[in-house]
């Protein structure tokens, strides 16, 4: 009896095998079949998540930046939970295999050892995938921070380039007497040259500070 809404994949595969008419001569063979199903299910999950991580990594290398942080966090959380729950199992089985009980025949010991080794390899692949997701998250965060810094630099540069125009417009927009060049026949073009010179100077200063050294 269980209260789970979704069945465990390994147990469901074993149930399907029993329904299909597969014969198990003993409870040991039933247990070994369950362990083999468990290892197969874990390997399938690792392959599925590896494919998803490869897709995210390919898009990152192609500079198609998208916010995959939620997806990567969900995968990492699921894998870490599985690793935490299943990691003690190979160690306990290996301790059992070092001193097998008398009722465990030699073929059973060999089958149990093969299943345990396969399960241990899958857990190692799972741990490697978790570390890979962690590194990918860090690289993605660094890329997004770099993109944010470039955007802020562009906004700052626009503000710096518009500063001379705003200052000159503010001075000449005052309703006071004695505005310079008010009666000059070429006063407008003088101001245009003046503002353009200050803008070019500000742009040169901003780009010079960003030039590689």
């Amino acid at each position: 009896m269980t209260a789970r809404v979704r069945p465990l994949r390994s147990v469901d595969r074993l149930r399907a095998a029993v329904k299909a008419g597969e014969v198990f001569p003993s409870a040991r063979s039933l247990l070994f079949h369950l362990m083999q199903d468990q290892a197969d299910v874990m390997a399938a999950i690792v392959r599925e998540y590896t494919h998803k991580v490869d897709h995210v990594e390919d898009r990152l290398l192609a500079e198609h930046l998208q916010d995959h942080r939620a997806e990567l966090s969900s995968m990492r959380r699921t894998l870490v939970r599985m690793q935490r729950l299943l990691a003690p199992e190979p160690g306990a089985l290996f301790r059992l295999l070092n001193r097998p009980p008398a009722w465990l025949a030699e073929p059973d010991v060999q089958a149990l050892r093969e299943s345990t080794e396969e399960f241990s390899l899958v857990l190692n692949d799972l741990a490697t995938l978790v570390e890979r997701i962690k590194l990918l998250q860090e690289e993605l965060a660094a890329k997004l921070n770099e993109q944010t810094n470039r955007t802020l630099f562009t906004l700052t540069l626009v503000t710096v380039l518009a500063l001379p125009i705003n200052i000159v417009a503010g001075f000449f927009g005052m309703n006071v007497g004695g505005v310079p060049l008010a009666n000059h026949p070429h006063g407008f073009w003088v101001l245009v040259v003046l503002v353009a010179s200050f803008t070019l100077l500000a742009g040169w200063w901003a780009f010079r500070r960003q030039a590689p050294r």
Side-chain angles (χ1 to χ4, degrees):
M1 299 295 294
T2 178
R4 292 181 60 91
V5 178
R6 298 176 59 184
L8 294 172
R9 298 186 193 180
S10 55
V11 177
D12 199 49
R13 290 180 60 172
L14 179 60
R15 181 179 60 84
V18 172
K19 280 188 174 183
E22 187 171 347
V23 179
F24 299 96
S26 65
R28 297 191 300 271
S29 60
L30 187 70
L31 175 62
F32 298 155
H33 194 285
L34 177 60
M35 293 187 60
Q36 186 63 45
D37 288 339
Q38 189 179 32
D40 293 340
V41 169
M42 287 286 296
I45 292 174
V46 171
R47 284 195 299 269
E48 177 187 356
Y49 278 39
T50 300
H51 178 71
K52 292 181 180 180
V53 172
D54 288 340
H55 176 69
V56 174
E57 190 173 26
D58 290 340
R59 292 189 64 84
L60 184 61
L61 292 175
E63 297 296 335
H64 295 159
L65 291 181
Q66 293 182 358
D67 196 355
H68 295 282
R69 287 176 295 181
E71 181 183 0
L72 292 174
S73 298
S74 177
M75 288 192 293
R76 184 181 176 188
R77 183 168 56 251
T78 301
L79 294 176
V80 168
R81 187 184 302 119
M82 293 172 56
Q83 185 181 17
R84 187 183 304 115
L85 291 174
L86 300 176
E89 186 173 322
L93 290 175
F94 278 126
R95 286 194 296 270
L96 174 66
L97 291 172
N98 287 333
R99 293 182 180 180
W103 51 267
L104 202 60
E106 183 61 29
D108 296 333
V109 173
Q110 184 64 27
L112 183 59
R113 180 175 286 109
E114 292 177 357
S115 299
T116 305
E117 290 175 353
E118 182 177 355
F119 191 75
S120 180
L121 290 176
V122 172
L123 282 178
N124 290 334
D125 293 339
L126 190 149
T128 303
L129 185 59
V130 169
E131 187 64 25
R132 184 181 172 192
I133 291 176
K134 180 182 177 182
L135 295 176
L136 195 58
Q137 284 179 310
E138 294 176 355
E139 186 174 357
L140 181 60
K143 290 282 188 180
L144 292 175
N145 288 334
E146 183 180 353
Q147 188 180 50
T148 302
N149 291 335
R150 286 198 300 265
T151 303
L152 290 176
F153 170 72
T154 303
L155 293 175
T156 304
L157 184 61
V158 171
T159 303
V160 170
L161 294 179
L163 186 60
I165 301 175
N166 293 330
I167 293 176
V168 174
F171 276 121
F172 282 86
M174 298 178 182
N175 292 322
V176 295
V179 176
L181 304 177
N183 299 317
H184 195 283
H186 303 292
F188 173 76
W189 296 110
V190 171
L191 289 179
V192 169
V193 172
L194 184 63
V195 170
S197 300
F198 276 113
T199 303
L200 291 175
L201 182 62
W204 172 80
W205 178 80
F207 281 109
R208 184 180 62 87
R209 292 179 63 86
Q210 289 294 323
R213 297 180 179 179

